[in-house]
Amino acid sequence: MAFDRPKELLKPIKPRWIVLSFVLAIAVELLPLDATLANWLPDFTAMLALYWTLNQPRRFGIGWSFGIGLIADVASASVFGQHALAYSVISYLLLSRQRQVVMYNLGQQTLVVLGGLLISQFVMAVCRMLLGGPWAGSGYFIGPLIGALLWPLLTKVLLLPQRRGSLPG
Amino acid sequence: MDIASSPRFFRRGPKPLTRLLACGALSLGLLVADAKLHLLDPARGALTALLYPMQWLVTAPPEGLRQLDTFLTTQATLTHENQALRTYQLELEARLQRQAALQRENAELRQTLNLRSQHGGNTLPAEIVYTSRDPFTFTLIIDKGSMDGVQAGLPVIDARGLIGQITRVQPLTAEVTLLIERNHPVPVMIQRNGLRAVMYGMGGQAEIRHIAAHADVQVGDMLVTSGIDGVYPAGLPVAKVAMVDRNGGSPFARIVCTPLAGVGENRTLLVLNETLNLPPRPEAAPAPKTKSRRKRGSDE
C-alpha cells in the first residue's frame, strides 16, 4: 500500500515472499535447542504475523495468523490452539490500530511490538495454566524483549524484496 | 448502496472483531479438544509428517558437522579410547557371563514355579531429534515412529535408567514424556527393602507422595520400577532419593528424588518394545451401594 512508507515507493509484495518468511520462521522453531537457549530465542513466527498484519493488512489478517498459529503449535509440540489463539489476539489488537502504528517510526513500532509479543506469551501462559500446567517462569518473557530489539532489523530485511532494483522478482 | 456492484477494494469481509471472536472460539475449542479430550492426534500426525522434511533440513547441518568431527578425531585419542574400551569390554563380558547363568537359573526357577515369563520382545534404539520448545512440558522428540513399531505407552530408557514414556506417535517421529513432567506417575520400589511407592514428576525433579513419615526411606536409596503397573518392566533403575523431610505436622514424609537417566544429556535412547505377558485383570468388585468418596482423586 502506498500509505505504508510515505518516504519511498515500494514494489507490491509477492505472496511467495510472505510464505517464504513463514517457512524460515517455522524452521527456526524446529531447531534442536535446549530449553534455556530456546527461552532467549524470540518467537519469530509471532513477529512475522505482526509485521505482515501491520504492513499488508489487506493480504494478511486474523484468519491467517490463526492458521500460522496452528502450524506453530505442531512445530513446537504444544497444545493445539495455543499459538493460534495468541496470534489471532495480537493480530486483532494491531489491526485495530494499524493506520496509526504504520505511521510510527521504527523506534515507536518497537515498543508496540514489545507489547504485542508480551501479550502473545501471556495468552499462551494463561492457556496452559487453565489447562493445569505450571507457570512458565519469568525466563519465558525474555524472548519478547529480544524480539522487540530485533524489530528494526527484521523490518529492513523484509522490505528488501520490495525495494526497487535491490532484488530480482 | 448495492454491495455486489461496489468495487472489490471496498469489500473487506466480516469485521475484525467478528473474525477475532470466530478464531478465538475455534482456538479455545481446539485447546479443549486436544488437551482434555485428545481428539486431535490424527490431525497432529498429518501436520507433523508435512513438517518432517523441514525438520530434516534444519537438523542435517549440525549432524554433518558432528560426523566431520568424528572423522577428524586424532589417532592418539582413538588408541587411548580403544584400550579403555577393551578393558571395559572384558569387565562387561565377565559380568554378562555371570548374568547369563543367573538368567538361566531364573528361567528354570520360574518354570518350576509355573510363573509366566514377563519379558519378551525387543528393544529399539532411537535418537533424539529435538527437545520440545514448549516450556510448559518436558518432552523429547525421537526419530522412530509408528512405521518402526513404536506405540504409545512404551517405556524409554538410556544407559543409566528409565527416561520416560512414549506419549504421542507420528509416522516418523514419536514424543517421549519425561519422568520429571509434572504429575507423571511411575510405580517404583526401593531396591534396598522392597518398599513400593509411586513417584510423581515435579518438573525438573520428582517426588514420592503418600508414604508414611515413619517409613524406612533413606537419602541415597535407589528406586527401581516395581513392574506392577503393566507398563514398565520390573527392575529398571529410575531415581535416587535426594532428600527426606519428616515434618512432624504431616502424616506423610516429603521425599524428593533425582532421576538417574541423563534427561538432558544423551542423544541415543532405547525404546523397550516389550510385551508384558500379564494375566488379564480381574473383574472389578461391584461398587458398594453406600455413597463413597473414593471416585474423587482417582481420575488422574
Side-chain angles (χ1 to χ4, degrees), chain A residues 31 33 78 80 99 128 140, chain B residues 31 34 44 58 131 134-135:
Chain A
L31 275 179
L33 296 173
S78 39
F80 249 121
R99 279 149 218 268
R128 296 311 288 266
Y140 189 49
Chain B
L31 276 172
D34 190 31
R44 184 186 289 272
V58 171
T131 55
D134 188 15

Side-chain angles (χ1 to χ4, degrees), chain B residues 249-263:
Chain B
S250 158
F252 299 121
R254 198 170 148 257
I255 299 165
V256 179
C257 326
T258 5
L260 291 172
V263 168

Side-chain angles (χ1 to χ4, degrees), chain B residues 73-207:
Chain B
T73 317
T74 59
Q75 201 181 352
T77 332
L78 277 181
T79 338
H80 187 74
E81 205 175 69
N82 217 338
Q83 219 158 17
L85 281 176
R86 219 164 276 191
T87 357
Y88 189 55
Q89 194 199 354
L90 268 180
E91 200 181 309
L92 279 185
E93 237 158 63
R95 247 192 260 175
L96 201 65
Q97 277 168 7
R98 223 178 317 150
Q99 203 190 345
L102 280 176
Q103 223 166 23
R104 207 172 38 244
E105 192 185 314
N106 198 359
E108 279 169 20
L109 282 174
R110 268 177 190 278
Q111 247 172 8
T112 38
L113 281 172
N114 208 1
L115 279 176
R116 283 159 186 261
S117 162
Q118 286 204 343
H119 292 259
N122 48 357
T123 56
L124 185 71
E127 206 157 297
I128 300 177
V129 186
Y130 61 99
T131 55
S132 155
R133 267 202 65 194
D134 188 15
F136 303 97
T137 54
F138 292 87
T139 48
L140 300 172
I141 314 292
I142 57 170
D143 66 345
K144 293 284 185 306
S146 55
M147 284 168 85
D148 306 280
V150 174
Q151 298 157 10
L154 293 181
V156 182
I157 61 171
D158 75 348
R160 279 177 270 175
L162 187 69
I163 256 195
Q165 195 183 7
I166 306 264
T167 42
R168 269 194 201 128
V169 186
Q170 283 104 28
L172 294 167
T173 53
E175 208 179 292
V176 182
T177 299
L178 302 181
L179 290 180
I180 50 177
E181 162 83 21
R182 223 174 158 76
N183 288 335
H184 182 209
V186 181
V188 293
M189 185 175 84
I190 293 174
Q191 207 177 29
R192 185 168 49 84
N193 54 13
L195 184 69
R196 282 197 299 268
V198 180
M199 192 180 84
Y200 289 87
M202 287 201 305
Q205 272 184 323
E207 67 176 342

